[in-house]
Amino acid sequence: MTFRYDFAPTPFGDALAVFSDEGIVRFDLSESEDPSVPWLLEGVTRQLDATPEPDPGAADELAHLLADYFDGEPVRFHQHLRLDWRLIEGFPLTALQTICTIEWGETMSYGEVAVLAGHPGAARAVGTACRLTPFSIIVPVHRVVRSDGSVGQYGAHPERKRFLLDLEAG
């Protein structure tokens, strides 16, 4: 199995896109002004037990989809990209696949996702799955909100979550 990486632009800065032979395996929004810093690849290298190689242009299709998305088009990334789920398993995988069914502009509570994923009462586990997603934006974890309708977190950036929800609200 080979792994390669490229960067795709977002309003939050360039994001790291890592691909396997099976599809996209990770999409991370950088916390750094320079997404090419070495530590950005360290975590995914440990997870994959392999070092992804640079592949300029590998994220071109993703970049076009992201541009459409940020222009306000209701892109369903999982229908256009092959997702390689190897970095997540068990209930978090089920929860994230359930989250993929949330339509553009709609939200669900963590508890509602837990019920749909077959584990009523596992709202906190859904929150953990959202935090651990290997696919920021691509799997729309930003559409999962608290039961009172408040935004909650999005990693350490609730303002990004609010931006994405506002974008989809049109």
Side-chain angles (χ1 to χ4, degrees), residues 135-155:
F135 304 114
S136 294
I137 301 174
I138 293 172
V139 171
V141 297
H142 57 277
R143 296 179 189 155
V144 184
V145 297
R146 293 180 172 161
S147 59
D148 65 3
S150 64
V151 172
Q153 297 295 312
Y154 188 72

Side-chain angles (χ1 to χ4, degrees), residues 7 9 26 30 32 36-37 101 115 127-128 133 136 150 158:
F7 298 95
R26 189 151 191 94
S30 176
S32 170
S36 65
V37 293
T101 67
V115 168
T128 298
T133 184
S136 294
S150 64

Side-chain angles (χ1 to χ4, degrees), residues 31-117:
E31 299 298 321
S32 170
E33 299 244 347
D34 178 5
S36 65
V37 293
W39 60 263
L40 194 57
L41 283 172
E42 288 177 7
V44 74
T45 295
R46 278 192 306 275
Q47 287 180 310
L48 296 171
D49 198 28
T51 303
E53 296 296 324
D55 186 7
D60 286 354
E61 178 183 4
L62 174 57
H64 290 296
L65 292 169
L66 286 165
D68 290 345
Y69 175 83
F70 287 111
D71 281 344
E73 293 184 34
V75 175
R76 296 180 64 89
F77 292 95
H78 70 282
Q79 292 178 342
H80 299 280
L81 301 170
R82 289 184 317 165
L83 303 182
D84 180 341
W85 294 95
R86 76 180 62 232
L87 296 180
I88 197 135
E89 59 187 19
F91 180 71
L93 172 61
T94 303
L96 292 174
Q97 289 174 333
T98 300
I99 290 166
C100 284
T101 67
I102 304 172
E103 296 292 333
W104 170 276
E106 295 182 10
T107 60
M108 282 188 182
S109 72
Y110 294 96
E112 290 170 324
V113 172
V115 168
L116 285 177

Side-chain angles (χ1 to χ4, degrees), residues 16-37:
L16 173 69
V18 180
F19 300 88
S20 72
D21 299 335
E22 304 297 318
I24 188 163
V25 70
R26 189 151 191 94
F27 184 68
D28 278 321
L29 298 172
S30 176
E31 299 298 321
S32 170
E33 299 244 347
D34 178 5
S36 65
V37 293

